Amino acid sequence: MSKKGGFSSNLLGLKFMQRAVEKDRVKELEVEKEQKNDESQWVLDTKIGKQKLCKVIVEGLPPPGAVLGRMSFKKCNLEIEALRTEKEVEQAKVIFAAQQKLQAAKSSKETTVSESEMATRMKKAKSRDGDTKEKKPKKKYKINQ
């Protein structure tokens, strides 16, 4: 040993000693890195004049019937869930009313069929069935002998 408490250069030159020194160095770097992360974790480095605004990128239009607005996942926010159910009920009422209007319009069109149109429809229906077709008498030809 050349120094007090130190190892000789021949011993430090061996591979296992070099690996041990490298491990110690890596541990020290990790400790320093953790300290820097802990110190900088709660510090805001943004300046008041240069704050970046969030950008929302929308690709295409949402599909019809998609839920827009605030959302709550797995019932974490009960107020939002209540608002959402109210909105869904209102949408269902609007859709139901629109369907009722369409059915009323269809039924009013169906009931306002004139007599002549009904007669033509009945003739077409009879001709499709084939059983109730009006049969024309066949002409008989006389053969002279």
Side-chain angles (χ1 to χ4, degrees):
M1 286 194 176
S2 60
K3 299 180 182 177
K4 288 185 180 179
F7 299 106
S8 66
S9 61
N10 289 338
L11 187 59
L12 290 175
L14 297 174
K15 289 282 187 179
F16 74 92
M17 288 299 289
Q18 289 175 358
R19 287 188 210 128
V21 170
E22 188 64 30
K23 285 181 184 177
D24 291 339
R25 198 175 297 152
V26 169
K27 285 181 184 178
E28 289 175 7
L29 288 174
E30 287 177 3
V31 169
E32 289 176 12
K33 196 174 192 179
E34 288 176 10
Q35 288 177 352
K36 285 182 182 179
N37 287 340
D38 290 340
E39 291 173 0
S40 66
Q41 185 177 5
W42 300 106
V43 178
L44 294 175
D45 292 335
T46 60
K47 295 181 181 177
I48 295 173
K50 294 185 178 181
Q51 288 182 347
K52 293 183 180 180
L53 299 175
C54 296
K55 293 182 182 179
V56 177
I57 299 172
V58 178
E59 296 179 359
L61 296 174
V67 178
L68 301 175
R70 296 173 64 185
M71 296 177 66
S72 174
F73 296 98
K74 296 185 180 179
K75 298 182 180 181
C76 290
N77 195 343
L78 297 178
E79 294 173 357
I80 301 301
E81 289 290 327
L83 290 173
R84 185 175 179 185
T85 54
E86 288 176 10
K87 192 174 185 181
E88 288 175 354
V89 168
E90 289 174 8
Q91 287 178 350
K93 286 180 181 178
V94 169
I95 291 170
F96 182 73
Q99 288 175 346
Q100 291 294 327
K101 286 181 182 178
L102 285 174
Q103 288 178 355
K106 285 181 182 178
S107 65
S108 68
K109 286 181 182 177
E110 291 174 1
T111 57
T112 58
V113 176
S114 66
E115 291 178 8
S116 60
E117 189 176 343
M118 182 61 78
T120 56
R121 286 185 184 178
M122 292 299 288
K123 286 180 184 178
K124 287 180 184 177
K126 286 181 182 180
S127 66
R128 279 188 226 136
D129 292 340
D131 296 335
T132 58
K133 253 188 183 179
E134 293 179 19
K135 296 182 180 178
K136 295 181 182 178
K138 293 183 180 180
K139 292 183 181 179
K140 295 182 180 179
Y141 295 101
K142 291 183 182 178
I143 301 174
N144 293 331
Q145 294 181 356

